[in-house]
Amino acid sequence: MSTVISTRDLRRVYGHGASAFEAVKGIDLDVQEGEVFGLLGTNGAGKTSTLDLLEGLSAPTSGRVEVFGLDPHTERATVRPQIGIMLQSGGLPAELTVTETLEMWRGTCSNPTTVEAVLEQVDLIDRAHVRVGAMSGGEKRRVDLAAALLGQPRVLFLDEPTTGLDPESRRATWQLLADLKASGVTMVLTTHYLDEAEALADHIAIMHQGEVANSGTLRDIVDAHPATIAFEHPGLALPPLDGAHVEARSRVTVSTRDLQGHLYELLGWARAHGIELVGLDARAASLESVFLTIADNPTTTSAPTPGLIGAPS
Amino acid sequence: MTTTTASAPARRRRPLVALAKAEYLQFRRNTTLLVMGIGFPVAIPLATFFVVRNQEGVSASLATTTFEMFVLLALLFVQFYSVLSMVTTRRSEGVLKRLRTGEATDWQIQVAPMVPGAVITLVGTALVTAVVYAAGAPAPVNPVLMAIAVLAGIAIFSLLGLATSALTKNAEAAQITSLPIMALAFMGLSTLRSTFPDRLAQLADWTPFAALSDLMSIGTSGRLATAPDSATALDFSGTFAEIAEPVAILVVWTVLALELTRRNFRWDDRG
């Protein structure tokens, strides 16, 4: 496997002087050939700004970005024929039909497949002669994807590819992306849907306030994060739970790296005291809990150590 | 080995043709642009031509006036306005931003919206010229100058459309933002310039349409439309000596419009 996309200390500042805003604050990423890389984060975390830099749509303020070992901004003419880009929104002329739009796009590609082929892939064959302006948001999104696929790219950049899709189309799009991955296409995708990242992404980077707050495989990220046990406070002194972080309020929350062991201790203690633990809830960390922990963190002053965000100190 | 490989382009890539074709389809579906672009610039000059011809007979100066009126209306309402409204619409639809994610170059994306207007202007020129000379107007002194004027006009007014689009939020706003260029163009009409006081007339001579009008006039009749009636007409070779100033003015405006476009052009409404 070779590295297809690589960034080092990538930065992007908008504006000048007092109003300057650093949207991307020194990002290091490596995307291997054939993998799906998920870029997650809250609104305004810098996902789209980062994607713009990877796609070569904007130039970094400082730092380095390489796609196939080339600068995607200055060497755009060489890089573009090999990549497909699906922007977050819009960009389709309302007055053209789907086929006319895709034929226009096809004419700009150096190694395109046919319009029929991509329409088949996104399941829009029967809508081929409908005006884009008359389509639903979800259908337009699939035309967007079809356009990104026309040039037969080796790398696909997908900015929220399933936003606005109904559940059935979403599943169909996942299947399509999984098929593309199986055929060797490398993908970078941003999404708000954690289940989408879980279903598709081999590697995940969670961005927060312009930085990568956490990254790794789904397993790495989840395993590095504590599980939680919660229940209503029973009103007497709780047993000592070694290594766990206990927050005892009206509802007790236990953060633990030993879910089974601590749960066993707690249940034994409850039985011994003849107590029922009301509202008992025990769960392993999920991408969602990791994500929410990061998103709830109001300030990240220094670059955090990957894998340790939200872990008890 | 087979004859085609995956890396070899299966055909010659023609992004500008594909983009221009899409622009043409959209132009055709825009009723406002169609009426303004096809009916108006051809019908008004030809109607005027026949009314005057039936009263006073045909002359080189009538042909000049007809061409001047046609070129003014075509450049403003076909070329300039279509580029302005189409580029503005593409930008607010996000189409310009999206096209930049593909393989088309910036200049191809910018030139494509000029093509439908240019084709209609050229067809209109052929039509009006054919009717005027078929109706008995004296043969032009130097048709090359007329061609240069139309082509330079298409280039300058297209670029001014791109530059004006930078200041235009949406297609409706184009009705207001187009006014300065409209006024600038009308100032160059020879009938207006000959009524201006000297100082203003000298200034008006430097407007882009004045230079175009002078070239057209020298090409059609061998004399400037603003010249006194006593001035004698130039012959074919004599016309080349007279065109240095209007050509220089057109070059200046082309460079200016290019520079305005280069500095101000926006691809995206967000920034």
Side-chain angles (χ1 to χ4, degrees):
Chain A
M1 266 200 191
S2 59
T3 304
V4 172
I5 301 168
S6 167
T7 74
R8 288 295 172 269
D9 197 27
L10 190 63
R11 286 170 196 277
R12 174 87 164 106
V13 179
Y14 293 98
H16 300 280
S19 64
F21 170 69
E22 191 170 26
V24 180
K25 300 175 182 170
I27 281 186
D28 299 332
L29 292 177
D30 288 293
V31 180
Q32 307 302 320
E33 184 163 10
E35 79 174 356
V36 177
F37 192 95
L39 208 50
L40 274 60
T42 44
N43 290 323
K47 301 187 298 289
T48 299
S49 294
T50 303
L51 218 47
D52 281 353
L53 294 170
L54 301 183
E55 294 159 349
L57 294 180
S58 55
T61 308
S62 70
R64 209 157 46 83
V65 53
E66 283 181 356
V67 177
F68 298 117
L70 301 166
D71 182 326
H73 189 69
T74 59
E75 293 169 288
R76 158 180 151 165
T78 320
V79 176
R80 280 294 162 79
Q82 316 199 50
I83 69 177
I85 299 176
M86 182 177 175
L87 294 174
Q88 201 175 99
S89 65
L92 300 168
E95 293 302 321
L96 294 182
T97 67
V98 174
T99 301
E100 287 164 352
T101 303
L102 293 175
E103 283 296 350
M104 166 184 83
W105 192 264
R106 186 171 182 271
T108 68
C109 299
S110 44
N111 182 30
T113 178
T114 63
V115 167
E116 291 71 33
V118 291
L119 282 178
E120 184 121 28
Q121 281 181 297
V122 301
D123 194 22
L124 281 177
I125 288 279
D126 53 340
R127 304 287 278 162
H129 299 291
V130 176
R131 237 170 32 91
V132 170
M135 299 185 101
S136 73
E139 286 175 327
K140 283 184 196 165
R141 213 65 196 116
R142 280 144 71 195
V143 181
D144 278 339
L145 180 57
L149 294 174
L150 261 175
Q152 309 198 59
R154 289 172 62 196
V155 176
L156 260 180
F157 293 94
L158 307 163
D159 201 351
E160 299 184 14
T162 63
T163 298
L165 262 57
D166 61 55
E168 195 192 340
S169 314
R170 242 181 109 207
R171 295 285 161 178
T173 303
W174 286 8
Q175 187 56 52
L176 169 58
L177 297 182
D179 292 347
L180 288 167
K181 186 193 163 184
S183 73
V185 177
T186 307
M187 283 177 249
V188 177
L189 76 101
T190 75
T191 181
H192 281 305
Y193 301 114
L194 299 170
D195 55 346
E196 184 162 298
E198 281 173 347
L200 295 173
D202 302 301
H203 269 84
I204 289 169
I206 302 178
M207 289 190 70
H208 186 54
Q209 298 180 345
E211 295 175 333
V212 174
N214 203 334
S215 70
T217 64
L218 182 62
R219 189 93 333 265
D220 292 343
I221 290 179
V222 170
D223 284 352
H225 208 75
T228 50
I229 305 168
F231 48 90
E232 303 301 320
H233 204 300
L236 55 155
L238 298 167
L241 297 167
D242 280 349
H245 177 79
V246 180
E247 235 178 280
R249 301 217 184 105
S250 67
R251 188 167 172 81
V252 180
T253 307
V254 180
S255 298
T256 169
R257 289 176 181 287
D258 181 11
L259 178 60
Q260 192 178 335
H262 285 145
L263 191 59
Y264 191 80
E265 263 182 62
L266 258 176
L267 292 175
W269 170 81
R271 169 169 260 183
H273 288 78
I275 304 168
E276 186 192 352
L277 292 175
V278 180
L280 177 65
D281 176 57
R283 61 181 64 204
S286 65
L287 188 55
E288 184 175 6
S289 63
V290 178
F291 183 86
L292 290 175
T293 310
I294 292 170
D296 286 344
N297 182 8
T299 48
T300 315
T301 43
S302 61
T305 318
L308 291 179
I309 294 299
S313 46
Chain B
M1 217 179 123
T2 50
T3 46
T4 50
T5 61
S7 58
R11 71 215 161 81
R12 210 175 118 53
R13 196 163 66 94
R14 291 243 188 80
L16 184 56
V17 174
L19 296 175
K21 191 180 160 206
E23 290 295 345
Y24 166 74
L25 287 172
Q26 292 173 89
F27 188 102
R28 232 178 48 186
R29 284 169 202 168
N30 187 326
T31 323
T32 316
L33 285 181
L34 274 188
V35 173
M36 243 167 68
I38 296 179
F40 194 49
V42 172
I44 292 181
L46 284 184
T48 314
F49 174 80
F50 284 110
V51 168
V52 175
R53 187 192 71 153
N54 293 342
Q55 285 174 354
E56 300 174 9
V58 70
S59 65
S61 86
L62 175 59
T64 306
T65 311
T66 306
F67 292 144
E68 189 186 28
M69 202 187 300
F70 165 73
V71 172
L72 178 75
L73 295 177
L75 291 181
L76 283 182
F77 295 103
V78 184
Q79 201 63 45
F80 170 71
Y81 204 85
S82 73
V83 170
L84 171 60
S85 82
M86 286 161 83
V87 167
T88 303
T89 305
R90 295 306 161 265
R91 188 179 57 231
S92 52
E93 285 176 329
V95 175
L96 296 183
K97 188 182 174 189
R98 159 177 280 274
L99 287 174
R100 284 191 109 199
T101 68
E103 294 181 52
T105 61
D106 288 356
W107 76 265
Q108 287 164 341
I109 299 169
Q110 287 172 317
V111 167
M114 302 177 183
V115 174
V119 169
I120 289 170
T121 300
L122 291 173
V123 170
T125 305
L127 190 71
V128 171
T129 312
V131 170
V132 165
Y133 287 114
V141 178
N142 189 345
V144 178
L145 299 186
M146 298 159 68
I148 293 175
V150 172
L151 294 175
I154 287 173
I156 291 173
F157 281 87
S158 295
L159 289 169
L160 289 173
L162 287 185
T164 307
S165 167
L167 311 168
T168 311
K169 273 205 183 68
N170 50 45
E172 285 74 48
Q175 293 171 5
I176 304 296
T177 57
S178 60
L179 293 178
I181 298 295
M182 298 268 179
L184 183 78
F186 273 97
M187 263 182 83
L189 261 181
S190 60
T191 43
L192 272 183
R193 277 186 288 149
S194 37
T195 65
F196 283 160
D198 277 357
R199 295 285 289 275
L200 188 57
Q202 276 170 4
L203 200 67
D205 280 346
W206 281 87
T207 61
F209 189 73
L212 292 175
S213 146
D214 287 351
L215 270 187
M216 297 278 304
S217 181
I218 295 169
T220 315
S221 63
R223 52 204 288 279
L224 289 174
T226 50
D229 289 343
S230 56
T232 49
L234 300 160
D235 59 12
F236 179 79
S237 55
T239 55
F240 286 106
E242 283 298 307
I243 62 169
E245 186 177 308
V247 167
I249 292 171
L250 292 178
V251 170
V252 168
W253 275 99
T254 308
V255 172
L256 191 71
L258 265 175
E259 186 58 19
L260 276 173
T261 304
R262 201 181 61 76
R263 278 180 191 228
N264 300 329
F265 194 77
R266 286 184 298 126
W267 295 95
D268 184 5
D269 273 338
R270 278 200 307 174

